[in-house]
Amino acid sequence: MEGISYLGVFLEGLLSFISPCILPLVPLYMTYLTGGLKDKDRIQSRQVLLMTVLFVLGISTTYFILGLSIGMIRGFIEDLREVMMILGGALLIVFAFNGFGFIKIAALEQEHKFSLKLDGRMSLLKAYLLGFVFSFAWTPCIGPMLTSVLLLAAGSEAALGNLLILLYCAGFALPFILIGLFYTKAIAFIKAKRDTLLKLAKLSSVILLLFGAYMIYDGSSTIIGLKQQLNSKETTVSSFMDQPFYDQFAQEHRLSDYNGRYITLNFVASWCTYCVNEIPDYKTWSNSCQETVSFYVMSDTVNSANGGQSTADFIAEHGIEVPILIDEDDVLFSHFGISSFPTMFYIGPDGNVIGYQSGAMDYDTMAYVMDIVKDKYEGGD
């Protein structure tokens, strides 16, 4: 589906060019770019191409600004990614139905008008500003296709989101560049084949429909998968204190066996540099804190997520002596919702979680935090 997304985004940019509010006016835009001269044969092809490149850069600037505005609220969007994907997919399907003519949305079938005075010879700056200004005028007309790209970009990592916007701009800019290279023939072709090209714009509705269906499927399948995962682990997670775990010495541990004592669970990953640097201090502190039972917690699923070593290889390399609970089914990682490394959780003598501390600590910090934990527990906090 990723390959289809990349190709689809590029095609959307290409089809945006032949939308009803852009294609018919292309000869007019090119007249602006060539400075209004009547004898086009006198215009050097290199000059036309350069003006065209600046023109499409102006257009692309607008779309990257829109993408940047989406990026600024990416954190909020990521928290609601699945919901946004479903709602966005539904919106794209509505846009597709509008493109097919099943429904009518007047706002998507118009462009805004700008009165520009372009007297005199066209300059590089004027060409750039011309593209920048006209891109705002086109935005309502190409809104469905542009919206689909922005929605996909919003639900992706920043680098991938920028790549999607770049692909859209590339598809939109390519016809303009070709016109700049073959000015006379290209304008003649557009005038002769305008009706046929406009019919091809209907393909954009097919792409919107596919993207909409994909986004609904992606958001829904993620929610369903999370629900199934939670249901499958519900019983195990609720009784994690009684769940048997094995350490690197093949010894079985149940956290409930240590009721009456403080327990620390230090969640680490093999690819975490801070976790590795913390090993000597954690070993020294755990040996000196006899009233506390200390464990590392590791998961090969977490280790492999960023290309780290397996738990077995990590233990062999660093010779860790503190018991490591091998969380094969990610029971502990899921229960405690670990999102950063290292993270230390503190469990009281009654089996309840007292608190946690994220980030690497040295020996003195570990001792200091443990004193605070004991004070909170003994004070009834």
Side-chain angles (χ1 to χ4, degrees):
M1 194 64 204
E2 287 296 326
I4 296 176
S5 296
Y6 297 145
L7 178 60
V9 166
F10 178 80
L11 289 176
E12 281 193 298
L14 193 62
L15 292 171
S16 293
F17 173 82
I18 58 177
S19 63
C21 59
I22 296 178
L23 182 65
L25 298 179
V26 168
L28 176 62
Y29 303 143
M30 297 308 297
T31 299
Y32 284 147
L33 289 177
T34 54
L37 297 178
K38 294 182 179 180
D39 186 3
K40 299 299 182 295
D41 293 334
R42 292 172 52 195
I43 303 172
Q44 296 181 2
S45 59
R46 182 179 301 177
Q47 179 187 5
V48 176
L49 178 60
L50 184 58
M51 295 298 179
T52 306
V53 169
L54 267 296
F55 180 72
V56 297
L57 284 178
I59 297 171
S60 302
T61 300
T62 301
Y63 301 147
F64 271 100
I65 289 175
L66 292 174
L68 180 62
S69 65
I70 292 292
M72 292 175 65
I73 58 173
R74 189 180 303 277
F76 170 77
I77 292 175
E78 287 178 350
D79 292 337
L80 300 173
R81 179 185 180 277
E82 289 74 24
V83 175
M84 291 290 292
M85 290 289 279
I86 294 173
L87 294 179
L91 181 63
L92 294 188
I93 290 176
V94 171
F95 287 160
F97 286 164
N98 177 79
F100 289 133
F102 299 152
I103 60 176
K104 291 293 183 182
I105 304 177
L108 301 180
E109 300 177 3
Q110 62 180 344
E111 68 168 322
H112 297 296
K113 302 295 184 181
F114 287 96
S115 179
L116 296 178
K117 293 183 178 180
L118 297 174
D119 299 333
R121 190 174 184 82
M122 177 63 63
S123 67
L124 298 180
L125 179 59
K126 283 184 180 180
Y128 175 83
L129 292 176
L130 183 68
F132 185 73
V133 170
F134 270 111
S135 63
F136 283 103
W138 298 329
T139 297
C141 186
I142 64 173
M145 289 173 281
L146 182 59
T147 299
S148 69
V149 176
L150 294 177
L151 284 172
L152 287 173
S156 308
E157 295 292 334
L160 178 56
N162 290 330
L163 175 60
L164 292 175
I165 296 175
L166 179 62
L167 285 173
Y168 176 82
C169 291
F172 191 64
L174 180 60
F176 281 107
I177 299 298
L178 292 176
I179 291 173
L181 284 171
F182 310 102
Y183 178 81
T184 304
K185 293 181 179 180
I187 293 298
F189 177 81
I190 290 175
K191 289 180 178 180
K193 305 293 184 180
R194 188 182 69 174
D195 292 341
T196 302
L197 292 174
L198 288 176
K199 290 179 181 179
L200 288 176
K202 291 291 184 181
L203 288 176
S204 62
S205 298
V206 177
I207 296 177
L208 289 175
L209 188 63
L210 290 174
F211 275 8
Y214 162 67
M215 291 173 68
I216 292 176
Y217 168 78
D218 183 65
S220 301
S221 60
T222 301
I223 292 175
I224 293 172
L226 289 173
K227 183 177 180 181
Q228 291 176 342
Q229 184 180 16
L230 290 174
N231 289 338
S232 66
K233 294 185 177 182
E234 184 176 4
T235 303
T236 307
V237 170
S238 63
S239 58
F240 76 94
M241 291 292 289
D242 296 320
Q243 179 79 9
F245 297 96
Y246 291 88
D247 63 19
Q248 70 269 42
F249 310 111
Q251 181 178 348
E252 181 182 293
H253 298 272
R254 297 175 190 266
L255 298 182
S256 58
D257 293 340
Y258 303 100
N259 283 344
R261 301 176 66 182
Y262 290 98
I263 302 174
T264 64
L265 300 177
N266 195 4
F267 290 85
V268 297
S270 62
W271 43 263
C272 168
T273 303
Y274 298 107
C275 302
V276 174
N277 294 338
E278 187 189 62
I279 290 174
D281 286 296
Y282 189 59
K283 174 185 175 182
T284 303
W285 175 79
S286 62
N287 289 337
S288 65
C289 197
Q290 297 299 321
E291 72 276 21
T292 301
V293 181
S294 302
F295 296 103
Y296 277 113
V297 183
M298 296 190 74
S299 161
D300 278 333
T301 302
V302 174
N303 292 339
S304 62
N306 284 300
Q309 294 176 303
S310 67
T311 301
D313 291 339
F314 182 77
I315 294 170
E317 179 177 342
H318 298 284
I320 300 173
E321 299 176 5
V322 177
I324 300 177
L325 302 184
I326 312 299
D327 193 12
E328 293 182 350
D329 297 321
D330 298 329
V331 173
L332 294 175
F333 276 86
S334 297
H335 179 80
F336 289 101
I338 304 302
S339 60
S340 61
F341 300 95
T343 295
M344 183 104 75
F345 269 83
Y346 300 85
I347 300 175
D350 58 359
N352 291 317
V353 176
I354 302 173
Y356 70 95
Q357 175 68 38
S358 295
M361 296 182 283
D362 57 20
Y363 176 89
D364 292 334
T365 305
M366 292 177 191
Y368 174 72
V369 174
M370 192 70 219
D371 288 339
I372 294 177
V373 168
K374 291 178 181 178
D375 289 340
K376 288 178 64 68
Y377 177 79
E378 293 169 5
D381 297 333

